[in-house]
Amino acid sequence: MRRLLIVLLFLAGMAAVVAGAAAWWLGQPLRMASQSIELEVEPGTTPRGVAQAVVRAGVQTDARLLYYWFRLSQQDRQIRAGNYEITAGTTPRSLLQKLVRGEESLRAITFVEGWTFRQMRAAIAQDEFLKHDTAQMSEAEIMAALERPGVAAEGRFFPDTYTYARGSSELAVLRRALRSMERHLEQAWEQRTPDTPLKNVDEALILASIVEKETGRASDRGLVAGVFTNRLRIGMRLQTDPTVIYGLGEAFDGNLRRRDLQADTPWNTYTRAGLPPTPIAMPGKASLMAAVRPEPTKAFYFVARGDGSSHFSPTLDEHNRAVNRYIRGTP
């Protein structure tokens, strides 16, 4: 009987030692090959496979220990597929919590105000962490996939920073940007001035894109919108260079010539009255609001001063004097 008691005490002591060692190990930072490690857990991966993937990624521990921990925690079947970032200081306990909660590492991509859809696609193509599922798709195919068939892509995406999990679809990011623009556009349209010459939200988006490209200084945005609004009211041509440049497309070499102003395209607001058929860039929230609530002004003209600001004129004579002063350098 005494021998049995001794054996039982010994086993209890060993169990306590093992339990203590396990508790200590669970709270210790895992050794890693680098300060930050990318871990991909594919759908359907077994708990043992997850433990092995952690070690292959660069965590310097025994995969069997991780697997036993996953099993003993009784959370092994709750581990979620995804892309994770394991950083220095991560313990076995915090690693499992991250995997069970699905705390994926997030990346970010920024779409800049004033960018064209072509520039936006170039940024997407260069992002190494996105799944490039639109690379071989045309603009029309992309819009159809986004459930907007027949709608031009230009200007339809809101410029902002979007976070996503590594391996996310390009279409998923585009869909978020599309819906964000639609929300901002509707909100702006609800706040439009009663006497706006704009007929619908599409025209507001087009005008906002022009305002975005024509504004050199944020404080001038409302007046720029006011000038174009005044012109639309009386049927005067907008005569804005950014629309001509957009119409030239890849043929534009950075130097806008007189012959370019005379070359008719659907976007040439020197040769055609009214708004162009599509936006010419992605407008931000401020430009959307300026388009629907322009600053009251008697000006019909403006010219860049050369410091980012513009000089606004109510008459052509005053405008010509401003052009002589700021462009030609003559009094």
Side-chain angles (χ1 to χ4, degrees):
M1 186 70 182
R2 182 178 179 185
R3 181 176 296 178
L4 177 61
L5 180 60
I6 292 173
V7 170
L8 290 175
L9 289 174
F10 174 77
L11 292 176
M14 289 297 296
V17 170
V18 171
W24 175 85
W25 179 76
L26 290 174
Q28 292 301 301
L30 291 162
R31 293 179 58 195
M32 304 199 309
S34 60
Q35 288 293 106
S36 178
I37 291 174
E38 295 288 342
L39 169 67
E40 181 177 3
V41 178
E42 297 182 354
T45 305
T46 64
R48 187 186 298 275
V50 173
Q52 293 169 343
V54 170
V55 173
R56 284 198 303 271
V59 173
Q60 299 172 341
T61 190
D62 191 323
R64 290 172 297 180
L65 289 177
L66 284 177
Y67 170 61
Y68 295 147
W69 159 230
F70 295 164
R71 289 295 302 275
L72 289 171
S73 71
Q74 296 184 339
Q75 298 182 82
D76 53 315
R77 296 298 175 182
Q78 300 175 37
I79 294 174
R80 302 183 186 182
N83 294 278
Y84 299 91
E85 182 180 11
I86 306 175
T87 56
T90 298
T91 66
R93 183 177 283 110
S94 64
L95 172 62
L96 180 58
Q97 291 173 345
K98 180 188 289 285
L99 297 176
V100 168
R101 293 172 181 171
E103 297 175 353
E104 296 187 69
S105 61
L106 296 179
R107 304 292 174 179
I109 186 168
T110 299
F111 302 137
V112 180
E113 295 174 352
W115 270 9
T116 62
F117 186 61
R118 186 171 62 204
Q119 290 173 303
M120 185 180 181
R121 291 196 71 177
I124 289 174
Q126 292 171 6
D127 194 305
E128 61 180 316
F129 300 111
L130 280 172
K131 177 183 177 183
H132 298 301
D133 54 350
T134 68
Q136 303 303 318
M137 297 172 68
S138 67
E139 175 183 317
E141 289 171 335
I142 290 174
M143 295 306 289
L146 295 174
E147 300 177 351
R148 300 296 185 275
V151 176
E154 196 65 76
R156 295 288 172 175
F157 303 90
F158 190 71
D160 203 348
T161 296
Y162 298 89
T163 57
Y164 64 90
R166 181 173 179 170
S168 293
S169 160
E170 291 175 343
L171 278 174
V173 175
L174 288 172
R175 186 174 290 107
R176 289 172 56 200
L178 174 71
R179 291 174 177 171
S180 181
M181 176 58 84
E182 290 175 346
R183 288 195 303 272
H184 281 91
L185 182 57
E186 286 293 342
Q187 291 168 2
W189 184 246
E190 290 173 358
Q191 300 177 62
R192 66 189 182 279
T193 56
D195 61 344
T196 179
L198 303 174
K199 300 180 182 66
N200 50 52
V201 292
D202 286 345
E203 289 195 354
L205 182 61
I206 293 170
L207 179 56
S209 73
I210 296 173
V211 172
E212 187 70 59
K213 297 297 287 185
E214 276 283 18
T215 303
R217 181 174 291 179
S219 58
D220 287 343
R221 189 176 281 112
L223 286 174
V224 169
V227 167
F228 290 133
T229 299
N230 288 345
R231 290 190 172 199
L232 287 172
R233 282 200 182 103
I234 66 172
M236 181 178 174
R237 292 180 182 178
L238 298 184
Q239 296 184 318
T240 169
D241 293 353
T243 62
V244 177
I245 292 171
Y246 183 82
L248 292 173
E250 295 183 7
F252 180 62
D253 62 3
N255 185 19
L256 191 63
R257 302 171 178 83
R258 182 178 295 275
R259 68 171 182 267
D260 296 327
L261 302 180
Q262 299 169 348
D264 184 53
T265 74
W267 290 271
N268 189 332
T269 52
Y270 283 84
T271 61
R272 302 195 183 195
L275 292 164
T278 71
I280 61 172
M282 292 189 294
K285 183 177 180 180
S287 291
L288 289 172
M289 288 304 302
V292 299
R293 297 188 67 85
E295 188 170 334
T297 179
K298 295 182 179 180
F300 282 87
Y301 308 89
F302 63 92
V303 62
R305 289 193 176 102
D307 61 358
S309 66
S310 296
H311 179 93
F312 297 85
S313 304
T315 66
L316 182 57
D317 285 343
E318 182 180 331
H319 174 65
N320 288 336
R321 290 194 295 271
V323 170
N324 287 334
R325 177 180 178 184
Y326 297 112
I327 303 300
R328 301 190 178 99
T330 59

